[in-house]
Structure formats: structure tokens, C-alpha cells
Amino acid sequence: MEKKIAPATQPAPADTKPAEKFPLGKFFAWKGRDVSLSGLQVIVTSYLLLFCTDVLQLSPAFVGALLMISKFIQAVTQLFAGYIVDNTHTKLGKGRPWEFCIIGAWLCTILLFSCPPGWSTVVKSAWIVVMYFFIFSVFNSLLFAGETPYMLRAFPSRDQVIKVSSFGGIVTMLGAVIVSTSFPVAMGYLGTSDGGWRTLILIYGIPLMLIGVLRLIFVPEHQIELPGHEQDRVSVKDIWRMVKTNKYVWVYAGIMGMFNVIQGMNIAAQYFKYVVGDIRLQGIMGVLSIVMLPVMFVFPKLMKKLTVANLIQVAAVVSAVGYIILFFAGKNIPVLIFGNILISLLVLPLSYMGNVIIMSLATYNESLGLPRMEGSTNVAVGLVNSIFNGLGTGLMGVLLSVAGYVGAKAIQPASSLLMIRSIYALIPLAATLLIIVFAGIFSKLERKIPAIEAKLKQQAKQ
């Protein structure tokens, strides 16, 4: 007879033979979508502003405002996405059905960079907003909301989730490295016209889209029916109660919000094009992520001694030093390499250990008498992410315009170069310092989790 799982534990497959606990085939198929989506993120977040200003000849402030508004819309749609995923019960599962969205995300990305520069400003602006809306507000929101529920049903134990998040981060990072290294080099040769951009996006988009559907095809969810628990519908009232009572959701949102300010102000392409003088050299910085890969191998062992929040704190301190170095690096490639190695350390726990944190937040939800709501919890954080990412992008556009940046100019004025350097290093430095503070607060919850889990198990036996 199949053993029933108490509500406080994660869903588990019926067949839990030791030899099948962590199959590598399922692991690599699972990471296909992460590799695909990370490549999409690299391309859109790093090069869309440059494409809009230098190819479409739109002002940076105007583009920044458009993208900021789009991010705010995304914040709203993510709430609906979380509600939809938490109430999804199909033969494919809860999160798996929404993996089809990776196809839509890539098709819209290809269309986004296919905007002809000859169109009017109004039409170009509408095109950018609509494509950006579908990529992030619709498709990415549903993928994001379904990520954690899907993972917790595909890899049932906390130990497996940690291994998938840490070792899987290596695979994701390798994929991102390949894109971030090769794309600026290819752009240096192809991205000189609108036709060149279309060719460039197709070269990357089609194979990455095919890689992205591997998870959907090969990784099933293991649905265990738990009467009175697993099939309960999550109401809007439940989500609102979580927002009001689970303060740690907002602490984690603060961490990710500051990180997304940094991500939203991604000005590396402009830095290497105008400060360094050769955008192709930006590819060197992508290779640096490989230097940090060994750190991911020790994450599971570190997790036995440190909380995720503590790892974030340590990484943030190192990254803060890196941003100080970057501000003074100028054109010095060795110094830029060293600074980028240091700042890349923060990306690791924030990008790849989020599912472990969501597990803790979901457990705390349960201790408050709420459903676990992994999807809605993830999306509540994602809402803040979108808002702060949009603020970062909008602020970057405004600051560049104020500093006199004009995309049509081959050489930018000194004021623009100083602003590019500040956006590249000083603003991320301030955000990193706030991450250190928020991570310290969140570590209090992680220290409570073992006791909370024991209490929930005891209550389930009664």
C-alpha cells in the first residue's frame, strides 16, 4: 500500500527506489528550459535598450519609460499567474502545463528584434510594448509561477531540490555563458543593421527554443492525492492573508527587489561599446562565470552549515568590493575581469537557490494556517521583482538622457561616459549593501524552519 504523505511534506512519487532518486536524464531534461530562458534573459535584458537606441533611433529615456511601464504591467499579471497555477489540476500536473509558454516567449523575442527602423515612432513603440508584454507579462509570468510547484513535484525531497538548484545552476550558467560570450561577438559582425539583428536572433532563438521544451516532454510531475489538502483551491483571500501575515515574503522580496534593480540597470553593452571601445570584448566577461562554477559544487555541503540567507550575505559582501573595483577600472581589462569575478558571486545563490527559500516560505505559510501556496508565494516575490526591475530600467533611461547620451553618436560626451560608469558600478553597490541587510533579517526564519517542520509533522499525526 502506498504510504500517505502528511500535508506538511512535499509531494513525492509513488516509486522511490534508491537507484531512481536522482536520475541524470531527468536532471538534464529539467535544466533545458532554464538554459533556454537564461539565454532569452541575457539577450533581451542586455541588448534591447541598445537595439532601440542605436538601431531604432529612439531616445533612452523614452525606451526606459516604455520598459518600466511594461514591467509594472508584468507585476500585475504575475498575481493572476500565481492564482492560475495554484488552482491548476490537470493530467499533466500543476506547473508542467505552462511549460508551453517557452515557445511563445521565444517567438515574441524574435519578433521584438525584427522591428523595422523605418516604422514611425508610434508604431515602433507599440510593437516594443506589445512584444515585451507577451514575453514577460504573459509567458514569463506563467513560467515563473509554475517553476516551484513543478520542481517540488518532480524532485520530491528538500535534498533533491538543493542538488537540482545548486548542480543545476552549473548547467544553467554554462548555457548563459555560451550566450553571453558569443552573442556580443556575433553582434559585432551582424548587429550593424536591422536585417543583421533579425538573423542574429534567429541563430540563437530557434535552437534555444527547442532546448526549452525538453522539460515539458521528458519530466513528469508526480501527483500524490492528499484528501483535503492537495486538491484544495487557493482563494484570493488566502493570497491576501499571506501578503498581510507572512512578513518574510516581503523580506525576501526586498532581497530580490534590490537584485532586480541591478539587473534592470544592465548597461554592460553600453559600457563596453563606449567606455572600453569594443563591444566584442564584453564576451570575455561572460567566460568569467566559468570561474565561479566550482562554488556551485560546494553549495549542498555549505547548506548543512549555513542558511541560504547567510550564503547571500557572504556573496553580497564580496560583490560590494567588486563594484568598487569596477567603478575605477575604466578600460583596464584585467581589472574589469577581477571586478566581474567578484560581483558574479552574488548571482549564484540569488539565481539558483530561490526554490529552497520558497520552500521555507511555504512551510511558514502552513504554520500560519494557510495553504502552502508555492506558486503564489513565488509570484508575490516576482511582483516586487518586476516593479524594481522596471524602476531600474526606467531610471537608467532617464539618467542616460540627462547625461546627454545619444545612440546615433559614435563617441559619447564625458558626462555620458561618467553616467555609464556610475550605472555600471555605483548604483549596484548601493543595492548590494541593502541586500546584506535584508538577508540578515531573513536568516531568522531559516533558523526557525526545523522547529516549524517538526511541529507541523506532530500536528499531522494528531
Side-chain angles (χ1 to χ4, degrees), residues 39-99:
L40 186 150
Q41 294 279 358
V42 166
I43 292 171
V44 176
T45 60
S46 299
Y47 300 101
L48 179 58
L49 180 63
L50 186 68
F51 173 75
C52 290
T53 56
D54 292 24
V55 177
L56 301 184
Q57 298 299 303
L58 299 173
S59 76
F62 181 65
V63 176
L66 289 178
L67 299 184
M68 180 176 66
I69 293 170
S70 298
K71 284 292 183 180
F72 290 167
I73 295 173
Q74 180 187 352
V76 177
T77 59
Q78 282 183 328
L79 290 177
F80 291 101
Y83 178 80
I84 291 170
V85 170
D86 275 334
N87 288 297
T88 295
H89 304 291
T90 70
K91 292 182 179 180
L92 283 178
K94 181 181 287 289
R96 191 183 182 192
W98 304 107
E99 290 296 311

Side-chain angles (χ1 to χ4, degrees), residues 30 34 47 103-104 121 130 140 150 166 192 218 243 278 303 306 402 442:
W30 174 266
D34 290 341
Y47 300 101
I103 299 173
T121 299
V130 170
N140 194 64
Y150 190 1
S166 56
T192 56
F218 296 109
V243 168
D278 188 349
M303 290 289 294
L306 299 173
V402 170
F442 193 87

Side-chain angles (χ1 to χ4, degrees), residues 27-278:
F27 168 75
F28 284 111
W30 174 266
K31 296 309 297 179
R33 197 262 274 176
D34 290 341
V35 170
S36 177
L37 202 57
S38 68
L40 186 150
Q41 294 279 358
V42 166
I43 292 171
V44 176
T45 60
S46 299
Y47 300 101
L48 179 58
L49 180 63
L50 186 68
F51 173 75
C52 290
T53 56
D54 292 24
V55 177
L56 301 184
Q57 298 299 303
L58 299 173
S59 76
F62 181 65
V63 176
L66 289 178
L67 299 184
M68 180 176 66
I69 293 170
S70 298
K71 284 292 183 180
F72 290 167
I73 295 173
Q74 180 187 352
V76 177
T77 59
Q78 282 183 328
L79 290 177
F80 291 101
Y83 178 80
I84 291 170
V85 170
D86 275 334
N87 288 297
T88 295
H89 304 291
T90 70
K91 292 182 179 180
L92 283 178
K94 181 181 287 289
R96 191 183 182 192
W98 304 107
E99 290 296 311
F100 285 102
C101 291
I102 191 67
I103 299 173
W106 269 112
L107 290 177
C108 289
T109 299
I110 293 170
L111 291 173
L112 176 65
F113 285 93
S114 299
C115 180
W119 284 354
S120 69
T121 299
V122 173
V123 176
K124 287 188 289 189
S125 301
W127 183 267
I128 293 167
V129 169
V130 170
M131 291 301 110
Y132 198 86
F133 169 81
F134 276 102
I135 294 169
F136 292 105
S137 298
V138 178
F139 298 124
N140 194 64
S141 291
L142 288 167
L143 288 168
F144 183 78
E147 171 80 12
T148 301
Y150 190 1
M151 172 179 267
L152 299 184
R153 287 160 178 80
F155 301 93
S157 71
R158 182 182 179 86
D159 181 63
Q160 285 192 9
V161 171
I162 290 173
K163 287 181 179 179
V164 172
S165 299
S166 56
F167 298 148
I170 298 172
V171 178
T172 305
M173 184 175 290
L174 282 172
V177 166
I178 292 172
V179 176
S180 62
T181 302
S182 61
F183 193 89
V185 176
M187 190 184 71
Y189 294 102
L190 295 175
T192 56
S193 66
D194 58 313
W197 275 94
R198 282 194 295 273
T199 302
L200 184 62
I201 299 302
L202 286 170
I203 290 172
Y204 284 85
I206 293 175
L208 284 171
M209 181 170 61
L210 296 175
I211 291 172
V213 299
L214 293 177
R215 177 188 298 187
L216 168 66
I217 297 171
F218 296 109
V219 182
E221 285 190 20
H222 300 286
Q223 292 282 37
I224 298 297
E225 299 295 331
L226 299 177
H229 176 73
E230 186 65 10
Q231 294 300 323
D232 280 350
R233 290 186 64 82
V234 174
S235 67
V236 175
K237 184 178 180 181
D238 290 329
I239 298 174
W240 180 243
R241 285 176 58 203
M242 177 191 70
V243 168
K244 292 193 299 182
T245 59
N246 191 340
K247 64 180 181 180
Y248 292 106
V249 168
W250 299 113
V251 175
Y252 179 50
I255 295 172
M256 296 307 298
M258 291 301 100
F259 180 63
N260 273 274
V261 168
I262 298 173
Q263 298 297 98
M265 303 187 80
N266 190 335
I267 202 167
Q270 288 86 347
Y271 187 92
F272 278 86
K273 182 175 182 178
Y274 296 110
V275 177
V276 176
D278 188 349

